[in-house]
Amino acid sequence: MKKEDIELYDRSIRLWGKDTQMKISQTTVLVVNLTPSSTELCKDLLLSGISLLIADKELVSIENVKGNFFLCEQDLNKSRCDVLKEKLQKMNTLITVSSIDMKAIDDISVPIACVDISTLQREEVEHFDEIFTKKGIIAYYIDNYFAQGFFYN
């Protein structure tokens, strides 16, 4: 590990050791549908050293601005994926935040995927589940119901 990695991840290294932190830093997680819950997950993953591959098809709306700390009114009508990619990357420049088109998810190969299903159609969720199952990708699903959130696989 480089000196800057050791300084940034000092607490994590003390908790689970250098070898584990190196494995964590070599992991990429796909996050689909960037709602407030999944964006918060992205923040937590990247601060621990995990690289992100994000996908979202929506533009930033006023509802997004009201519920997502990362978004502001200047982001309205811009690609939610592009805006959040830029803002998330600034939080940890030692990892990579990449984005892909939602249609390209069929072709990806990552070990873990997290999908926020709260605003997706049932057919989309079933499609993702089928792809991830065929490829052996560990998939976790996030859902929200008012002030409660659910995380399951």
Side-chain angles (χ1 to χ4, degrees):
M1 292 185 88
K2 294 182 269 182
K3 183 181 178 184
E4 61 184 349
D5 292 341
I6 292 171
E7 289 175 7
L8 181 63
Y9 304 119
D10 178 59
R11 284 189 244 161
S12 299
I13 292 169
R14 283 188 272 149
L15 179 64
W16 47 63
K18 252 188 208 181
D19 291 341
T20 302
Q21 185 60 46
M22 284 178 61
K23 289 178 185 176
I24 288 171
S25 296
Q26 295 169 355
T27 302
T28 299
V29 173
L30 168 67
V31 181
V32 179
N33 198 20
L34 299 170
T35 64
S37 296
S38 58
T39 304
E40 189 68 21
L41 173 67
C42 286
K43 177 200 65 132
D44 294 339
L45 292 172
L46 72 90
L47 290 178
S48 68
I50 295 172
S51 290
L52 300 172
L53 180 59
I54 58 175
D56 191 287
K57 62 184 178 184
E58 301 296 326
L59 298 177
V60 176
S61 68
I62 193 67
E63 291 80 21
N64 298 149
V65 172
K66 289 178 182 177
N68 191 324
F69 295 118
F70 289 92
L71 300 173
C72 60
E73 288 188 11
Q74 290 89 335
D75 300 325
L76 286 171
N77 300 314
K78 295 179 184 174
S79 162
R80 193 163 64 182
C81 191
D82 292 344
V83 170
L84 289 170
K85 175 185 172 187
E86 181 182 326
K87 292 181 180 189
L88 289 166
Q89 184 65 71
K90 288 178 184 176
M91 294 185 74
N92 185 349
T93 57
L94 298 179
I95 59 98
T96 303
V97 179
S98 305
S99 61
I100 59 168
D101 187 89
M102 291 283 275
K103 295 173 186 146
I105 291 174
D106 293 13
D107 303 322
I108 58 103
S109 179
V110 294
I112 302 170
C114 298
V115 181
D116 190 316
I117 64 171
S118 60
T119 60
L120 297 179
Q121 299 296 317
R122 181 184 175 122
E123 296 80 27
E124 291 174 294
V125 176
E126 289 172 350
H127 177 73
F128 291 138
D129 194 52
E130 182 180 323
I131 293 167
F132 300 149
T133 301
K134 281 182 184 175
K135 293 186 173 211
I137 297 171
I138 300 167
Y140 294 94
Y141 298 93
I142 304 166
D143 200 358
N144 304 289
Y145 186 72
F146 294 103
Q148 297 179 338
F150 304 93
F151 192 78
Y152 55 93
N153 74 343

